[in-house]
Amino acid sequence: MKRTLSLSAQTEVENSQHRASLEKKPHDVSKMFDDVAQHYDLTNTVLTGGLVHVWRKVTREAVGARVGLKVLDVACGTGASAAGYAADGADVIGCDFSPGMIARGRELHPGLDLRVGDATALPFADEAFDVVTISYGLRNVVDTQAALRDMLRVTKRGGKIVVAEFSQPTNPLFRATYFEFMRLGMPLLSTIFSSDAPAYDYLRESIQAWHSQKDLAAVMHEAGWRSVEYKNLTNGIVALHRAIRK
Ligand SMILES: C[S@@+](CC[C@H](N)C(=O)[O-])C[C@H]1O[C@@H](n2cnc3c(N)ncnc32)[C@H](O)[C@@H]1O
């Protein structure tokens, strides 16, 4: 299960305006994303070596957006995924609690319906959407269960959830190399390409502390989702979980 690491993280929050603790507080998380919003998409591309675009494509296929479907992208950030679902013809809303990320998304994707809102108290009616999805957001939500339950509430019966999230590489040698890259390479790259390098220390720590593929499937089931299944992308750097509201 998810490890709640305290490290010296609390102290780091106190010393920095910019990064959240692993004992996350919603305001710290929201502020941290406000601060990285301007260069968020570029930094994502650099830190993942472009793989984020491959993962978004696979996620987009799993979401299966099309004309007539109502899709909610929770923790949508700057709308990079939501824009794809809209391009596929769906009626899409993106929702995120960082006003900075939403503002940047509106600049990048004029006309896309992006709203400020909390994943744990979604400002939508029960059973309003055919598909709810969240990419690289669930790990950042303070109360994972509350978000999964509220996403269930706004999904129609028979509708689905798609979760894309960093996970645990399955091959031990690959996993060791990957975590070593994160420890050594990520601070360097984030210093060069991001306006806020400490936020990317949080990124690394939060990925290492997050659920394994199997554990996240169990957490989703506990929240009320059924027929939970997952597949690994790039040897499990990312996992794509899917489930149904029965
Ligand atoms: C790593 S970014 C991912 C953004 C986007 N989904 C993407 O794929 O690029 C994580 C996002 O989760 C949002 N977030 C974290 N906790 C949230 C919450 N409780 N409610 C809404 N958004 C939240 C942050 O503001 C941030 O924009």
Side-chain angles (χ1 to χ4, degrees):
M1 285 286 169
K2 183 164 74 166
R3 283 165 285 157
T4 312
L5 303 184
S6 60
L7 305 174
S8 56
Q10 194 56 45
T11 316
E12 288 186 51
V13 164
E14 284 155 12
N15 291 342
S16 166
Q17 296 290 313
H18 303 288
R19 59 155 289 173
S21 157
L22 288 176
E23 295 160 354
K24 299 166 281 196
K25 292 198 180 84
H27 174 76
D28 295 328
V29 176
S30 170
K31 174 75 175 65
M32 183 180 70
F33 281 102
D34 283 346
D35 289 346
V36 299
Q38 195 63 24
H39 303 293
Y40 172 80
D41 289 291
L42 171 65
T43 310
N44 245 354
T45 300
V46 171
L47 291 184
T48 64
L51 282 170
V52 68
H53 302 290
V54 177
W55 300 332
R56 283 200 202 284
K57 185 168 175 286
V58 181
T59 306
R60 188 168 163 178
E61 284 162 11
V63 166
R66 57 183 151 79
V67 175
L69 281 195
K70 294 190 72 132
V71 176
L72 175 64
D73 187 18
V74 177
C76 65
T78 58
S81 289
Y85 312 142
D88 289 339
D91 182 4
V92 180
I93 298 177
C95 177
D96 195 289
F97 78 166
S98 157
M101 293 291 266
I102 291 292
R104 181 67 179 140
R106 287 177 181 151
E107 277 171 20
L108 292 171
H109 309 288
L112 191 62
D113 189 348
L114 299 178
R115 307 184 192 180
V116 175
D118 192 324
T120 61
L122 292 165
F124 305 106
D126 295 357
E127 302 187 31
F129 297 94
D130 300 287
V131 186
V132 296
T133 180
I134 183 164
S135 293
Y136 317 106
L138 197 55
R139 176 179 36 86
N140 294 289
V141 175
V142 173
D143 188 340
T144 311
Q145 271 293 325
L148 287 169
R149 279 198 304 268
D150 216 38
M151 291 172 79
L152 185 77
R153 176 186 66 78
V154 301
T155 304
K156 293 176 187 171
R157 283 167 204 285
K160 70 179 171 186
I161 185 172
V162 176
V163 179
E165 190 49 88
F166 286 101
S167 199
Q168 306 291 327
T170 48
N171 178 295
L173 185 62
F174 182 80
R175 184 167 57 237
T177 311
Y178 166 66
F179 284 133
E180 202 53 15
F181 160 74
M182 293 227 285
R183 194 175 69 80
L184 298 172
M186 199 180 262
L188 180 66
L189 289 173
S190 60
T191 303
I192 298 169
F193 290 100
S194 171
S195 50
D196 189 355
Y200 288 88
D201 292 339
Y202 160 82
L203 170 69
R204 178 174 52 80
E205 290 166 12
S206 68
I207 289 172
Q208 287 184 290
W210 182 239
H211 300 287
S212 69
Q213 292 80 335
K214 215 170 141 203
D215 287 346
L216 180 57
V219 168
M220 290 172 68
H221 188 269
E222 195 185 326
W225 292 97
R226 294 295 173 259
S227 307
V228 184
E229 54 185 38
Y230 64 83
K231 74 172 176 186
N232 289 318
L233 309 183
T234 319
N235 195 260
I237 290 182
V238 165
L240 199 63
H241 284 69
R242 285 172 292 190
I244 302 291
R245 177 175 185 181
K246 292 238 161 112

